[in-house]
Amino acid sequence: MKKLLDVQNLHVSFDTHAGEVKAVRGVNFHLDKGETLAIVGESGSGKSVTTKALMRLIPNPPGRIKEGKMLFEGRDLVKISEKEMEKLRGKDISMIFQDPMTSLNPTMTVGKQVMEPLIKHQKMNKEAARKRAVELLALVGLPNPEARIKQYPHQFSGGQRQRVVIAIALACNPKILIADEPTTALDVTIQAQILELMKELQKKIETSIIFITHDLGVVANVADRVAVMYGGQIVETGTVDEIFYDPRHPYTWGLLSSMPSLDTDEETELQAIPGTPPDLLNPPKGDAFALRSNYALKIDLEQEPPVYQVSPTHFVKSWLLHPDAPAFEPPVNVQQNLRPMPNNFDKPALFEEVR
């Protein structure tokens, strides 16, 4: 597969009165042409900051991209000028934000808002842009688009507004579509419709998608690959099957243990991850997840783990993958068909369990 986007060692910080918040710390990932990459993690893990950095929407001050590369078709988005970025933003890279009501201008008709990127980036005249806007609203499943194009955002339901936002994002057939928790504000029935719509549209326009979510149930339905994010870092990356059936990081185990399934009955207790996310004003010295993990080793409190390769597509940032680490069985309620980790009980002192 051809790499469309390649993010290398990305660091994003925010300067506050209390000090420097290191929101994103050395993130690496890539996006192939035509694939969907899901970035998952709890609130505050750095998911949205990472994708806003890709769009160069980090307000400066207080935010700044401290270090790293974001290579889009070979061009480093960190180094190009704002004028060059404006030509890419909305045309080649588009974004769907969480709340459709705050994404839309309440003083403009929906039609004008869909037409705007067509006039700016595609250089269409108003008549051609209006015709294309009607086609886009029909494409995203809005009934009677000819009439609705004249209406304002408050005249649409939440699900319909999200469809309008998707139509705006897709107006210029972007090469990358970033969806930042696009179904969070919607009820489950509308969520399913929007997710199905995005899958259909991806096939039609062959765009690549970065899908931001904290809902692993959503991930299983839409993603090809998954990046699990914690404490401003990506701790595990793999295909959907690898993340769901062979997870190796304790944080991924925690996320899966806290997710209900069709087999969950009223007597089954879902497992919560203890503690709170790390303070990124003063990031932990070793593994950011160590203080919340039941599988922490002494070395986790002293040294940051490297990234270990499990398969050609599966990478894990955890000392548990070190040859000298003890063997831990993942929680029983994660998945019943997980492969066991290799046994190795002759371990140096650094690889003794903390608890």
Side-chain angles (χ1 to χ4, degrees):
M1 294 288 285
K2 182 183 176 184
K3 281 186 186 178
L4 188 61
L5 177 73
D6 191 11
V7 176
Q8 302 172 10
N9 195 34
L10 180 65
H11 291 257
V12 182
S13 289
F14 292 86
D15 296 313
T16 69
H17 294 298
E20 180 188 352
V21 176
K22 298 171 183 175
V24 173
R25 306 182 295 136
V27 159
N28 297 277
F29 68 89
H30 71 272
L31 180 69
D32 292 332
K33 188 174 181 180
E35 81 164 342
T36 298
L37 171 70
I39 302 179
V40 303
E42 58 197 322
S43 297
S45 59
K47 308 184 301 296
S48 294
V49 173
T50 299
T51 50
K52 283 178 181 172
L54 289 175
M55 295 285 286
R56 289 267 299 271
L57 292 176
I58 301 293
N60 186 3
R64 56 199 163 94
I65 298 174
K66 282 184 66 179
E67 189 182 339
K69 294 181 179 180
M70 302 186 299
L71 301 175
F72 171 63
E73 296 186 323
R75 298 173 68 191
D76 190 351
L77 301 181
V78 175
K79 293 183 178 178
I80 65 173
S81 67
E82 178 58 26
K83 192 170 184 180
E84 289 177 290
M85 193 66 210
E86 284 177 2
K87 293 177 182 177
L88 293 176
R89 197 185 291 130
K91 179 176 182 287
D92 291 321
I93 308 174
S94 285
M95 192 164 187
I96 304 168
F97 295 94
Q98 286 188 33
D99 185 357
M101 197 57 192
T102 56
S103 302
L104 295 170
N105 188 332
T107 66
M108 289 173 62
T109 63
V110 159
K112 282 187 178 179
Q113 295 182 66
V114 179
M115 289 164 61
E116 194 172 31
L118 296 168
I119 294 170
K120 178 177 174 59
H121 293 298
Q122 307 284 65
K123 309 301 180 187
M124 289 186 180
N125 59 39
K126 285 189 177 180
E127 186 179 339
R130 186 185 182 284
K131 183 179 178 183
R132 179 58 181 154
V134 170
E135 291 173 356
L136 284 164
L137 292 181
L139 184 69
V140 297
L142 277 175
N144 197 12
E146 278 279 2
R148 305 226 68 182
I149 204 170
K150 303 170 187 174
Q151 296 180 332
Y152 290 84
H154 71 271
Q155 294 173 279
F156 292 74
S157 69
Q160 289 173 334
R161 283 195 292 265
Q162 194 61 289
R163 287 171 187 266
V164 172
V165 171
I166 293 172
I168 295 170
L170 295 176
C172 298
N173 292 339
K175 294 174 182 176
I176 297 177
L177 177 64
I178 300 170
D180 187 358
E181 303 204 33
T183 59
T184 299
L186 308 175
D187 64 59
V188 289
T189 306
I190 304 301
Q191 275 187 30
Q193 292 175 9
I194 295 296
L195 293 173
E196 191 60 37
L197 169 67
M198 290 185 68
K199 284 163 68 177
E200 288 175 11
L201 294 176
Q202 183 183 27
K203 290 177 185 175
K204 287 180 182 177
I205 67 171
E206 297 182 338
T207 191
S208 301
I209 296 176
I210 298 176
F211 199 97
I212 309 297
T213 184
H214 58 266
D215 187 342
L216 280 169
V218 167
V219 169
N221 290 324
V222 301
D224 299 306
R225 284 190 305 119
V226 183
V228 181
M229 203 161 181
Y230 182 80
Q233 298 178 324
I234 290 178
V235 297
E236 185 163 9
T237 309
T239 64
V240 167
D241 285 347
E242 285 168 336
I243 296 299
F244 277 86
Y245 296 104
D246 189 23
R248 298 297 184 96
H249 197 283
Y251 180 60
T252 311
W253 297 347
L255 291 177
L256 290 167
S257 295
S258 62
M259 185 180 74
S261 70
L262 292 174
D263 298 325
T264 305
D265 56 40
E266 57 187 32
E267 294 180 4
T268 303
E269 185 178 344
L270 295 175
Q271 301 297 310
I273 300 174
T276 56
D279 178 7
L280 295 182
L281 269 170
N282 299 291
K285 182 180 177 183
D287 187 335
F289 189 60
L291 293 177
R292 302 178 69 187
S293 175
N294 292 323
Y295 307 91
L297 309 172
K298 286 185 178 179
I299 194 172
D300 283 317
L301 305 176
E302 299 178 22
Q303 297 179 38
E304 185 176 316
V307 175
Y308 291 93
Q309 184 170 355
V310 180
S311 77
T313 54
H314 195 180
F315 300 86
V316 184
K317 188 180 177 70
S318 172
W319 285 116
L320 293 184
L321 275 290
H322 191 282
D324 293 327
F328 282 114
E329 288 293 330
V332 174
N333 56 341
V334 172
Q335 293 288 346
Q336 295 300 318
N337 58 340
L338 295 178
R339 294 196 301 272
M341 295 179 68
N343 287 315
N344 191 332
F345 295 103
D346 297 324
K347 51 190 181 295
L350 273 176
F351 290 93
E352 293 176 358
E353 297 91 339
V354 172
R355 53 174 71 83

